[in-house]
Amino acid sequence: MQLHFSPSMRSITISSKNGFIDLMKIKVAACHISYRTLFHTILILAFLLPFVFILTALVTLEGVNKCSSFDCLGRRLGPKLLGRVDDPAQRLVRDFYNILNEVKTREIPSALELPDSFDQLVSDMKSNQYDAKTFAFMLRGMMQKFEREIRESKFSELMNKHFAASSVPKGIHCLSLRLTDEYSSNAHARKQLPPPELLPTLSDNSYHHFIVSTDNILAASVVVTSTVQSSQKPENIVFHVITDKKTYAGMHSWFALNPATPAIVEVRGIHQFDWLTRENVPVLEAVENQNGIRNYYHGNHFAGTNLSDTNPYKFASKLQARSPKYISLLNHLRIYIPELFPNLDKVVFLDDDVVVQRDLSPLWEIDMNGKVNGAVETCRGNDQWVMSKHFRNYFNFSHPLIAEHLDPDECAWAYGMNLFDLRTWRTTNIRETYHTWLKENLRSNLTMWKLGTLPPALIAFKGHVHPIDPSWHMLGLGYQNKTDIESVRKAAVIHFNGQSKPWLQIGFDHLRPFWNKYVNYTNDFVRNCHILDS
């Protein structure tokens, strides 16, 4: 780079070293150069010279010194500045993309041996000198193989979770056995519940009556304890705990030895209800005893299932629909509450997987507007598991009877915390409708719906549901791992519906404390059965 001053000092020229390119020419006044002008000139030069140096370096590095004009420089630097350089590396990338597109639409050669790892792929490439197309085929084959293995692993995980959810943990099984033994050997465990002087309260409508139907002693204890501890007037609570014959002795022992004072607890077995005869519930006997039904709920859940035609979400829903509890009379029992408790006017039914966190007495003040079932609607949310359910999520609308009688967009509602007006219920044909549709589904070989007791209830209670505020009943704690903790704290009743029950090892660790706080871990039976460890 050279700096030339004209003899007359009228111009200053900056040029490249060989003089071919005039990079800058500055003309000055013809007369005198003032100090101020000279200062400004030097200042401009000090600012521009570094850029001139960098530009010259680029010209040298790119071989532009053979060019004789800025036009040549522009042709070389322009495409690079605009990102349009067509160098060999980019051509290689384009060619490889073309090969990938070609391989994507073709069958993988059957003779091609797929490596099991990336290291083996590299080794095979080096030893066999594979071309790019063969490499692309191997890459595609490996991806498909791994995707298939991951998919199968996911389905196996869902199956194992289904078995875990359907089984009884050894600690809870131990609790039932020990309490049953206690019933036979300890008079205190057999004492009358409630005491004779409190028997009139069982049909006194000035009390708040709760009903729980379960064969899980530990779960029943949590429901009762949480309700009593959350109540502002626990002395006004009457609990009716209904269980099956095999669990009755153990359930009675628990509440006899661990009274929920000042609340009143009654424990009854199904066998103690005179109304529950085979003549009155023939449909349920068929549900429990039909071989096809039992095979559906207890059989091989992989049989007849094409895993390539489904996804994990749909498969999980099908497994949930095959829970053995759905053919248990205890699960269908709620449809017979008006007949089982003929003297009661209004009750709250609670599932055994709920925890009560707030006083529920205001429920009895709700005006039902002539409806039977006060329930939270489950079509007002955005999550796919719980709060976005319509009839189309439960019924097969390709079945002509379903398509004829039901609206797929009708809002579903939740079982688990329901306020029932039994006086109004007794004036309806809800139970008969429930039976009729159960029979139709049996005749259609379970093609109308497959998810337990809620679908026939959705039909039977159609037109009889009074929506209550969602804050009364929060669902999905057995489904959704990312449940908002603050919303859980605020809900009156939280419901662990789904497979991940809090008493199972597959329960969600961050939600389990909401249930654990109502388990009496100091109780001798609980400690001896290692409930805390199970």
Side-chain angles (χ1 to χ4, degrees):
M1 183 182 298
Q2 295 178 348
L3 191 66
H4 299 281
F5 293 89
S6 67
S8 62
M9 297 295 290
R10 292 186 179 183
S11 66
I12 303 172
T13 301
I14 305 170
S15 63
S16 62
K17 187 174 181 181
N18 53 17
F20 287 157
I21 301 177
D22 292 338
L23 297 177
M24 184 172 293
K25 183 178 289 187
I26 302 174
K27 291 185 179 180
V28 298
C31 299
H32 298 284
I33 301 176
S34 66
Y35 288 113
R36 177 176 294 180
T37 302
L38 183 61
F39 172 75
H40 287 161
T41 301
I42 294 173
L43 188 64
I44 292 172
L45 289 175
F47 178 76
L48 292 178
L49 281 175
F51 293 99
V52 174
F53 173 77
I54 294 172
L55 186 59
T56 306
L58 284 173
V59 170
T60 304
L61 291 173
E62 295 290 335
V64 185
N65 56 328
K66 297 181 180 178
C67 293
S68 59
S69 66
F70 269 101
D71 179 62
C72 178
L73 181 64
R75 285 198 308 271
R76 289 183 174 266
L77 292 181
K80 182 176 288 293
L81 294 174
L82 295 175
R84 297 177 181 172
V85 178
D86 190 18
D87 59 19
Q90 286 197 337
R91 284 198 302 272
L92 178 62
V93 171
R94 280 203 309 271
D95 291 342
F96 190 61
Y97 285 160
N98 292 334
I99 291 173
L100 290 177
N101 287 328
E102 179 185 352
V103 167
K104 183 174 66 174
T105 58
R106 293 177 57 183
E107 291 292 330
I108 299 175
S110 57
L112 192 63
E113 295 185 6
L114 299 177
D116 294 324
S117 65
F118 180 75
D119 289 340
Q120 186 180 345
L121 173 64
V122 174
S123 176
D124 291 348
M125 289 292 296
K126 290 180 178 178
S127 59
N128 298 319
Q129 297 293 307
Y130 288 139
D131 56 20
K133 184 176 293 187
T134 304
F135 170 76
F137 272 122
M138 296 183 71
L139 191 63
R140 179 184 165 203
M142 289 179 66
M143 290 295 294
Q144 290 180 348
K145 175 184 175 183
F146 293 149
E147 286 174 358
R148 184 168 57 252
E149 290 176 352
I150 292 173
R151 184 181 178 84
E152 291 174 354
S153 175
K154 181 63 177 178
F155 284 121
S156 296
E157 176 191 349
L158 292 171
M159 280 297 302
N160 292 333
K161 191 173 183 179
H162 171 72
F163 291 135
S166 303
S167 63
V168 179
K170 63 180 182 180
I172 292 179
H173 181 62
C174 165
L175 183 67
S176 180
L177 291 178
R178 292 196 175 216
L179 286 168
T180 300
D181 180 67
E182 194 73 10
Y183 183 85
S184 63
S185 60
N186 186 345
H188 291 290
R190 295 193 302 273
K191 69 180 180 180
Q192 186 173 342
L193 290 178
E197 65 272 17
L198 295 178
L199 285 178
T201 63
L202 299 181
S203 56
D204 188 342
N205 284 294
S206 66
Y207 286 80
H208 293 158
H209 293 266
F210 294 88
I211 298 174
V212 181
S213 175
T214 180
D215 60 354
N216 187 328
I217 298 172
L218 189 66
S221 73
V222 168
V223 175
V224 172
T225 301
S226 64
T227 304
V228 172
Q229 290 186 11
S230 301
S231 174
Q232 294 182 1
K233 293 183 177 180
E235 67 277 3
N236 202 33
I237 289 177
V238 177
F239 255 100
H240 306 269
V241 180
I242 306 173
T243 190
D244 56 19
K245 189 172 184 178
K246 65 179 175 58
T247 314
Y248 169 75
M251 189 76 75
H252 188 105
S253 294
W254 176 267
F255 287 105
L257 299 174
N258 302 278
T261 309
I264 300 164
V265 178
E266 173 195 30
V267 177
R268 296 182 71 179
I270 292 177
H271 59 288
Q272 295 175 324
F273 286 96
D274 295 334
W275 187 86
L276 284 176
T277 63
R278 294 184 179 182
E279 291 75 20
N280 289 329
V281 288
V283 176
L284 295 185
E285 184 185 11
V287 168
E288 285 191 312
N289 296 330
Q290 190 186 74
N291 288 333
I293 304 298
R294 296 193 66 81
N295 287 337
Y296 177 79
Y297 285 101
H298 294 282
N300 185 346
H301 301 310
F302 271 123
T305 301
N306 187 350
L307 298 184
S308 61
D309 292 339
T310 187
N311 59 53
Y313 170 73
K314 291 181 179 178
F315 187 66
S317 298
K318 290 180 179 179
L319 289 177
Q320 175 67 12
R322 289 188 170 197
S323 173
K325 73 176 184 178
Y326 291 132
I327 59 174
S328 166
L329 180 56
L330 282 174
N331 204 41
H332 289 270
L333 199 66
R334 67 196 87 191
I335 203 68
Y336 305 115
I337 289 176
E339 289 76 24
L340 300 182
F341 300 95
N343 298 317
L344 297 183
D345 294 340
K346 188 175 285 188
V347 300
V348 168
F349 182 90
L350 297 173
D351 273 349
D352 66 354
D353 54 354
V354 307
V355 172
V356 178
Q357 304 185 125
R358 202 166 72 215
D359 181 28
L360 298 185
S361 58
L363 289 173
W364 272 261
E365 306 303 321
I366 293 177
D367 183 1
M368 298 276 282
N369 296 316
K371 303 297 184 181
V372 173
N373 179 5
V376 169
E377 292 183 317
T378 55
C379 65
R380 310 299 183 190
N382 297 319
D383 65 282
Q384 64 177 347
W385 282 104
V386 181
M387 296 304 291
S388 59
K389 300 297 187 182
H390 296 78
F391 274 30
R392 62 175 172 268
N393 298 108
Y394 296 98
F395 297 100
N396 174 20
F397 276 88
S398 64
H399 194 287
L401 277 178
I402 295 295
E404 180 183 353
H405 291 90
L406 302 180
D407 177 6
D409 294 321
E410 186 163 346
C411 189
W413 46 267
Y415 257 160
M417 198 284 292
N418 301 87
L419 174 65
F420 290 130
D421 184 338
L422 302 186
R423 294 180 65 184
T424 304
W425 189 341
R426 294 185 186 101
T427 66
T428 70
N429 62 344
I430 289 174
R431 174 167 56 88
E432 290 73 18
T433 303
Y434 188 90
H435 280 175
T436 298
W437 282 91
L438 273 180
K439 291 176 183 177
E440 290 295 340
N441 196 33
L442 287 174
R443 289 193 193 104
S444 68
N445 199 25
L446 299 181
T447 57
M448 298 171 72
W449 71 80
K450 294 188 177 179
L451 184 60
T453 56
L454 182 56
L458 291 175
I459 302 176
F461 284 102
K462 196 172 182 298
H464 299 289
V465 178
H466 176 74
I468 62 176
D469 192 278
S471 65
W472 284 111
H473 186 190
M474 182 179 183
L475 298 106
L477 275 68
Y479 283 124
Q480 302 184 89
N481 188 23
K482 298 181 180 179
T483 306
D484 180 57
I485 295 297
E486 191 58 34
S487 299
V488 174
R489 291 194 181 98
K490 293 179 180 177
V493 175
I494 55 175
H495 195 172
F496 289 85
N497 59 310
Q499 292 179 318
S500 301
K501 305 297 186 188
W503 56 81
L504 299 175
Q505 289 185 348
I506 59 174
F508 300 129
D509 291 337
H510 66 295
L511 297 175
R512 203 191 310 271
F514 290 94
W515 189 84
N516 282 348
K517 66 189 291 188
Y518 296 106
V519 177
N520 182 8
Y521 288 111
T522 63
N523 180 274
D524 288 340
F525 291 99
V526 172
R527 286 191 297 105
N528 291 335
C529 286
H530 305 287
I531 296 292
L532 189 63
D533 303 328
S534 61

